[in-house]
Amino acid sequence: MGFLEHLKARLAPAKGKVSGLAQQHGDKVQHGLDKAAQVVDEKTKGKYSDTIQSGTGKAKGAMDRLAHKDERAGGGDTFTPPNTPPPTS
């Protein structure tokens, strides 16, 4: 077993716990992200507003992905093609 496979196997139980915590406390975490972004934006006097908003949005997206991880089928490491009709000849 390679290093990465061993690491994935060791971290698998934590993945479920993190997902559960994200589902339970996601709203609190997102509120905290908003609050932190507001404070940082005030401290920098709006100089980095775009960057702060971008980072906050990415963090919220990551929280959403963690919270809804168990709703996906396939484990997330597989490619799912778009739902397009097959070409007609």
Side-chain angles (χ1 to χ4, degrees), residues 22-85:
Q23 286 177 350
Q24 288 177 337
H25 303 290
D27 55 335
K28 292 177 186 176
V29 172
Q30 289 193 7
H31 178 71
L33 286 169
D34 287 334
K35 211 171 188 182
Q38 181 181 5
V39 169
V40 171
D41 198 32
E42 288 172 2
K43 293 287 184 179
T44 60
K45 298 178 182 160
K47 186 176 179 181
Y48 302 104
S49 291
D50 292 340
T51 306
I52 292 167
Q53 290 302 319
S54 174
T56 303
K58 288 178 183 180
K60 286 181 178 183
M63 280 297 300
D64 287 341
R65 286 191 307 274
L66 280 172
H68 301 297
K69 190 73 162 178
D70 61 344
E71 292 177 7
R72 291 163 128 200
D77 287 351
T78 59
F79 172 73
T80 305
N83 289 331
T84 56

